[in-house]
């Protein structure tokens, strides 16, 4: 299969200002406030890593709008029902998504500043994702125009997502229509992709498996012949044949069976081979 990866994922957030106090005599006293987060992650499934990405971005050519009083439920595990242009539930490269942990999620109310329409964000009533928290008009936490909610967790645990129990968030437009965008960086413990190269790889693996099975069958016959030629009891011979037959299910076992059968030149060594297998 192909390998999916992210190139230079980054989280950059800055809050800064200079605080100034002009004294009565004209002197200016100042101090700086600076919060600067600039993290460059790597691709993978561990601390400060991410290997899945998804965006649901509002643009003039592709509006993401929730009608007043309506809502949009987003499944953070597999993004079912949402097609950003590369297929239902797929990422931008057309790969099927499954996310087991959220590293970062950013949600923005794309309405202009001062434009009516608040974006409420909360766990859905069915299999809600609690880490998002409750941000509603009633509680004073809904996003007005250009408001942003960001949650970021670079730790190895991230924010856990569990399919079928904790994976759905609900966005609601309160008082007016709301344009919105959502971005997600996440992790999944398997880096393989569902690209077309997978079929070629699968075919190669199937051919290899067939070849291994053929070799295993030959080794099994050799083992059976050696066991029958030995003067040990029929129970030892039967055990050897049974072990050789089960060895055909994996190439490593068939190799062990072949080695054992070729070394069995007497009834005692045949018995030892059967026991070790």
């Amino acid at each position: 299969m192909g390998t999916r990866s992210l190139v230079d994922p980054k989280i950059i957030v800055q809050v800064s200002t200079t605080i100034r106090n002009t004294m009565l005599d004209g002197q200016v006293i100042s101090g700086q406030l600076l919060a600067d987060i600039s993290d460059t992650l790597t691709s993978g499934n561990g601390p400060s890593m991410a290997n899945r990405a998804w965006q649901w971005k509002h643009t003039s050519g592709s509006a993401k709008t929730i009608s007043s009083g309506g809502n949009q439920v987003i499944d953070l595990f597999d993004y079912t029902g949402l097609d950003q242009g590369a297929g239902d539930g797929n990422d931008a490269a057309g790969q099927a998504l499954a996310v087991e942990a959220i590293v970062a999620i950013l949600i923005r109310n794309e309405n202009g500043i001062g434009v009516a329409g608040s974006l409420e964000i909360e766990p859905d009533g069915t299999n809600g994702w609690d880490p998002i928290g409750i941000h509603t008009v009633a509680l004073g936490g809904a996003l007005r125009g250009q408001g942003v909610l960001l949650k970021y967790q670079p730790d190895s645990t991230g924010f856990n997502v569990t399919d079928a129990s904790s994976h759905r968030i609900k966005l609601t437009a309160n008082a007016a229509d709301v344009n919105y965008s959502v971005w997600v960086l996440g992790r999944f413990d398997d880096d393989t992709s569902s690209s077309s190269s997978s079929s070629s790889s699968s075919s190669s693996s199937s051919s290899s498996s067939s070849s291994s099975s053929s070799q295993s069958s030959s080794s099994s016959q050799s083992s059976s012949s050696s066991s029958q030629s030995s003067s040990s009891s029929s129970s030892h011979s039967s055990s050897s044949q049974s072990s050789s037959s089960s060895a055909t299910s994996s190439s490593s076992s068939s190799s062990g069976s072949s080695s054992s059968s070729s070394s069995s030149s007497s009834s005692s060594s045949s018995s030892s081979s059967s026991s070790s297998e």
Side-chain angles (χ1 to χ4, degrees):
M1 289 186 174
T3 300
R4 190 184 321 193
S5 62
L6 302 183
V7 179
D8 295 331
K10 293 181 175 66
I11 300 293
I12 300 174
V13 179
Q14 187 178 85
V15 178
S16 65
T17 188
T18 297
I19 305 169
R20 300 182 62 182
N21 183 24
T22 303
M23 308 296 288
L24 293 176
D25 61 3
Q27 291 188 19
V28 177
I29 300 174
S30 64
Q32 188 176 29
L33 179 152
L34 175 63
D36 188 6
I37 299 171
S38 183
D39 292 354
T40 297
L41 311 180
T42 55
S43 184
N45 182 34
S48 297
M49 293 182 177
N51 58 7
R52 294 291 185 271
W54 181 82
Q55 71 172 1
W56 192 245
K57 185 178 180 180
H58 173 78
T59 64
S60 58
S62 180
K64 304 297 186 291
T65 305
I66 303 174
S67 299
S68 180
N71 63 71
Q72 173 67 62
V73 174
I74 298 177
D75 185 331
L76 294 176
F77 182 79
D78 57 19
Y79 304 87
T80 302
L82 300 176
D83 185 350
Q84 59 179 316
D88 187 349
N90 293 345
D91 62 18
Q95 301 293 306
L97 269 176
V99 174
E100 296 174 318
I102 299 293
V103 176
I105 180 169
L106 189 153
I107 302 173
R108 184 180 189 183
N109 182 336
E110 297 284 10
N111 288 4
I113 296 175
V115 175
S118 296
L119 181 62
E120 298 184 321
I121 305 166
E122 60 190 321
D124 186 43
T126 302
N127 300 324
W129 192 64
D130 291 333
I132 198 65
I134 300 175
H135 311 273
T136 61
V137 170
L139 295 178
L143 301 181
R144 300 281 294 175
Q146 296 299 295
V148 171
L149 172 67
L150 169 65
K151 300 203 72 167
Y152 173 46
Q153 184 87 296
D155 184 76
S156 59
T157 60
F159 295 109
N160 190 51
V161 177
T162 305
D163 191 26
S165 63
S166 176
H167 61 118
R168 290 159 56 99
I169 61 173
K170 181 174 72 173
L171 310 182
T172 302
N174 186 299
D177 294 355
V178 172
N179 298 322
Y180 71 103
S181 295
V182 181
W183 294 267
V184 173
L185 287 180
R187 298 186 189 123
F188 189 71
D189 62 8
D190 185 353
D191 285 337
T192 57
S193 69
S194 57
S195 62
S196 59
S197 61
S198 300
S199 59
S200 175
S201 175
S202 177
S203 176
S204 174
S205 298
S206 177
S207 176
S208 175
S209 176
S210 177
S211 175
S212 297
S213 296
S214 177
Q215 292 176 357
S216 298
S217 178
S218 176
S219 297
S220 175
Q221 291 176 357
S222 174
S223 176
S224 177
S225 297
S226 298
S227 298
Q228 289 176 354
S229 65
S230 67
S231 60
S232 63
S233 64
S234 59
S235 62
H236 286 297
S237 176
S238 176
S239 175
S240 177
Q241 291 176 351
S242 176
S243 298
S244 299
S245 177
S246 64
T248 61
S249 63
S250 66
S251 60
S252 61
S253 296
S254 65
S255 297
S257 175
S258 178
S259 175
S260 299
S261 62
S262 62
S263 65
S264 60
S265 60
S266 66
S267 59
S268 59
S269 59
S270 175
S271 177
S272 298
S273 174
S274 300
S275 299
S276 62
E277 293 172 350

